[in-house]
Amino acid sequence: MTSQTTLAGPGQQPGKPDRSGGPDAPGSSDGLQAGLKNRHLSMIAIGGVIGAGLFVGSGAGIAAAGPAILLSYALVGLMVVFVMRMLGEMAAARPSSGSFSAYADQALGRWAGFSIGWLYWFFWVVVLAVEATAGAKILEGWVPGVPQWAWALIVMVVLTATNLVSVGSYGEFEFWFAGIKVVAIAAFVVVGLLAVFGLLPGSDNPGAGLAHLTDTGGFFPKGPGAVLTGVLMVVFSFMGSEIVTLAAGESENPQRAVQKATNSVIWRIAVFYLGSIFVVLTLLPWNDKSIVQEGGSYVAALNSIGIPHAGQVMNVIVLTAVLSCLNSGLYTASRMAFSLGGRGDAPKAFARVNKRGVPQVAILSSVVFGFVAVFFNYRWPDTVFQFLLNSSGAIALFVWLVICFTQLRMRGMILREQPEKLVVRMWLFPYLTWATIAMISFVLVYMLTDDDGRQQVLLSLLVAALVVAISLVREVRQRKVRA
C-alpha cells in the first residue's frame, strides 16, 4: 500500500496543505486514478437520482396525497435542481473527492467540513444495510434455499470486491445497473402513455386519458395540505444526486463531467420522477387498492395494462436499483472517508491508496460498518437498527442546507482566487440560494409536526450535535498543541 504525497494546488504555496478536499493536486485528489470514463459519469449522473424508493415507496405517497403527489415531487425536484446547481458551481471550479464536505471545510470552517463529512458517511453506511436487506429479500424469494442473511452477505461481498478492484470496475457496474433502471423507466413511461391515451394494441387498460387526475375526489382529494405531507414522504428518494460530483474527481475531465451532470438534472427529474408517477396516476385512480399493495404502484400500473409477470419484472428492476444504490453507497462512503483522512479529520490510513489508485482501507472500513448495521437489522430491527434509521433520516436535508450556506461563501472565494473557473453559476445568486435555504428549513420544521418526521429530525439533530461537539473539541485541542 502506498501513501499519498501532497502536491500544491492552484493558488497554493508549495509544501502547505491544500484544504480543497484532501491532499489535492490541481483539479483532482492525489492518488486516486482518473478511471471513470465519460459514459460512466453520464450514467452515474442519470441514474443517481433513481433509487429503489421510487419504485417501492411511491405508492404510499400517492395514497397520502392523491394526484397532488405530483406537486410534492415537483417541489422536491425543484429543491434538488437548485442544490445541484450550487454544488455544480463549486465542483466545476474545484473538483474534489470530498465534494461539499471539502467545500464546507474551506468556506465555513474545519468544524463544518468534519461534521457534514462524517454525517454523510454515516448516512450511506446505514443505506448499505437497508439496501442489502432489501436485495436479500428479493433474492430469497427466488432462491428460498439460501437464507436472507446469506444473500445480504453475498451481495455486500461481491460489490465490495468490485470497488476494491478499481474505480473503473465501480463505474462499469454502475453503468449497467443505472442503464437498466433508465431503460426500464423510459420504457414504462412510453408504454404507459400509449395505454393512457388508448394507443397501445392489446392493452387491458381502458385508456381514460387524463380523467383519473380529477375523477376521484378532484386533484386535491386529501386537501392542499397533503402536498406537504407528500413532500416528507418523497424527499429522501432524491438523495444521491450529489454522487456525481464526488465521482467527477476520478474522471479525465472533471469540469466537463460536472457541467453535463448539472445541466441535465432538470430533465432527469422531469422524466424519471414526474413522468413515471404521472403515468401511474393516469393509468389508475389514485385510491385503487392495488397501488399500495406489496408490489407497489409500478406493478399495479403494469398489471392494469396487462403486462404478464409484472411483479417479477419489477422485482428484477428493483433488485437492479438496490444493487446500484449499494454500489454507489459503498463508493460514496469510501471516498468521503478518503477525503476526511486526507484533511486530517479521519485516520491517515483512510487517505492511502494502493497501486491501483483505490483507497482500500477507506472501502474496507466503510463496509465493516455496513456489515455491523446489517447485523443490527437482523438482531435488533425494532430498536438499535430503527435508531440508526431515524438518526440518519434527516441528514439528507442537513447536507443540502450545508451546500447552500457553503455556496454563499464559496462564490466570493472563487471569484477572488480563480474567477476563470466559475464556469457553472447558480441562477439569480444569492436570491435563489436563500430561497432554497428557506424551502429546506421549512421542510425540516414541518417534519416536526409529523410523528415519524419528528423522531427523525430530533434524533438526526442529536447525532449532528454530537459530531459537531467532537469537531469543536478537536479544534480546541489542536490549537493548544500548536500553541
Side-chain angles (χ1 to χ4, degrees):
M1 202 180 288
T2 58
S3 58
Q4 291 180 303
T5 56
T6 303
L7 301 180
Q12 176 197 352
Q13 294 297 317
K16 293 186 179 180
D18 180 5
R19 306 295 309 162
S20 61
D24 288 358
S28 65
S29 298
D30 179 47
L32 296 179
Q33 294 184 359
L36 293 177
K37 300 175 182 176
N38 286 335
R39 63 183 178 88
H40 294 155
L41 266 294
S42 296
M43 199 55 74
I44 290 169
I46 294 171
V49 292
I50 310 170
L54 175 63
F55 300 105
V56 179
S58 55
I62 292 171
I69 194 69
L70 283 170
L71 294 182
S72 305
Y73 273 101
L75 283 172
V76 179
L78 187 65
M79 202 157 63
V80 171
V81 167
F82 291 158
V83 170
M84 278 298 293
R85 187 75 186 182
M86 287 181 252
L87 186 54
E89 175 180 298
M90 296 182 288
R94 300 182 178 182
S96 168
S97 63
S99 188
F100 50 84
S101 171
Y103 310 141
D105 189 310
Q106 298 170 67
L108 304 179
R110 288 293 302 276
W111 68 270
F114 176 96
S115 302
I116 206 63
W118 277 114
L119 286 172
Y120 192 67
W121 178 87
F122 172 60
F123 172 86
W124 280 110
V125 167
V126 175
V127 166
L128 289 180
V130 173
E131 299 297 338
T133 303
K137 285 181 181 177
I138 295 173
L139 290 166
E140 186 189 28
W142 293 344
V143 188
V146 179
Q148 193 180 119
W149 66 265
W151 278 122
L153 181 66
I154 291 168
V155 165
M156 291 273 276
V157 167
V158 169
L159 292 178
T160 300
T162 64
N163 273 266
L164 285 172
V165 171
S166 70
V167 69
S169 65
Y170 155 72
E172 199 63 33
F173 268 74
E174 191 57 23
F175 175 80
W176 292 105
F177 287 154
I180 292 171
K181 289 189 291 185
V182 168
V183 169
I185 294 185
F188 174 79
V189 170
V190 172
V191 171
L193 287 175
L194 290 174
V196 164
F197 295 105
L199 302 175
L200 185 67
S203 172
D204 296 340
N205 193 281
L210 305 181
H212 288 323
L213 293 177
T214 54
D215 64 3
T216 313
F219 189 75
F220 296 99
K222 298 291 186 76
V227 173
L228 295 176
T229 303
V231 164
L232 302 188
M233 302 181 80
V234 307
V235 66
F236 302 107
S237 64
F238 282 84
M239 191 65 172
S241 311
E242 66 291 328
I243 290 174
V244 70
T245 64
L246 281 83
E250 292 179 78
S251 66
E252 293 178 357
N253 191 336
Q255 193 176 78
R256 180 171 174 271
V258 168
Q259 278 184 279
K260 285 182 66 177
T262 305
N263 292 335
S264 66
V265 70
I266 298 174
W267 70 260
R268 283 186 277 139
I269 289 173
V271 173
F272 297 125
Y273 278 83
L274 290 173
S276 60
I277 297 298
F278 175 82
V279 166
V280 172
L281 289 166
T282 48
L283 283 173
L284 292 164
W286 69 269
N287 57 355
D288 191 297
K289 292 182 179 178
S290 63
I291 287 179
V292 291
Q293 288 173 354
E294 191 174 345
S297 58
Y298 288 76
V299 173
L302 291 173
N303 281 331
S304 78
I305 298 172
I307 302 291
H309 311 295
Q312 287 305 319
V313 170
M314 193 51 62
N315 269 341
V316 172
I317 296 168
V318 171
L319 179 62
T320 304
V322 163
L323 294 175
S324 171
C325 197
L326 256 175
N327 195 36
S328 287
L330 181 53
Y331 171 84
T332 305
S334 65
R335 284 346 184 243
M336 187 57 72
F338 168 83
S339 177
L340 287 166
R343 286 180 273 144
D345 292 335
K348 289 181 180 178
F350 285 10
R352 297 195 186 112
V353 296
N354 61 21
K355 61 184 178 182
R356 296 185 300 275
V358 173
Q360 189 169 295
V361 176
I363 291 173
L364 292 175
S365 301
S366 299
V367 83
V368 163
F369 280 92
F371 278 127
V372 170
V374 169
F375 171 74
F376 286 154
N377 193 15
Y378 288 110
R379 188 70 180 82
W380 301 289
D382 299 322
T383 51
V384 179
F385 189 69
Q386 194 60 42
F387 171 81
L388 290 178
L389 279 180
N390 286 329
S391 60
S392 64
I395 286 175
L397 293 168
F398 296 169
V399 167
W400 294 347
L401 263 183
V402 168
I403 290 171
C404 294
F405 282 112
T406 300
Q407 191 260 341
L408 282 173
R409 296 285 303 276
M410 186 66 82
R411 167 68 75 90
M413 293 170 66
I414 296 171
L415 283 174
R416 284 193 303 274
E417 298 168 15
Q418 300 163 293
E420 73 283 358
K421 293 288 187 74
L422 200 62
V423 293
V424 176
R425 289 175 179 260
M426 176 59 182
W427 307 295
L428 298 178
F429 177 83
Y431 308 109
L432 269 186
T433 301
W434 281 111
T436 308
I437 289 171
M439 290 166 67
I440 298 170
S441 301
F442 178 80
V443 171
L444 282 168
V445 172
Y446 190 77
M447 285 178 74
L448 294 173
T449 67
D450 176 78
D451 290 338
D452 293 334
R454 185 184 311 115
Q455 194 172 27
Q456 289 184 8
V457 170
L458 294 178
L459 285 177
S460 296
L461 280 172
L462 177 65
V463 171
L466 178 63
V467 175
V468 170
I470 291 171
S471 71
L472 293 175
V473 169
R474 286 178 77 254
E475 278 199 55
V476 170
R477 286 183 175 176
Q478 287 170 355
R479 282 180 195 149
K480 286 182 179 178
V481 169
R482 287 195 295 267

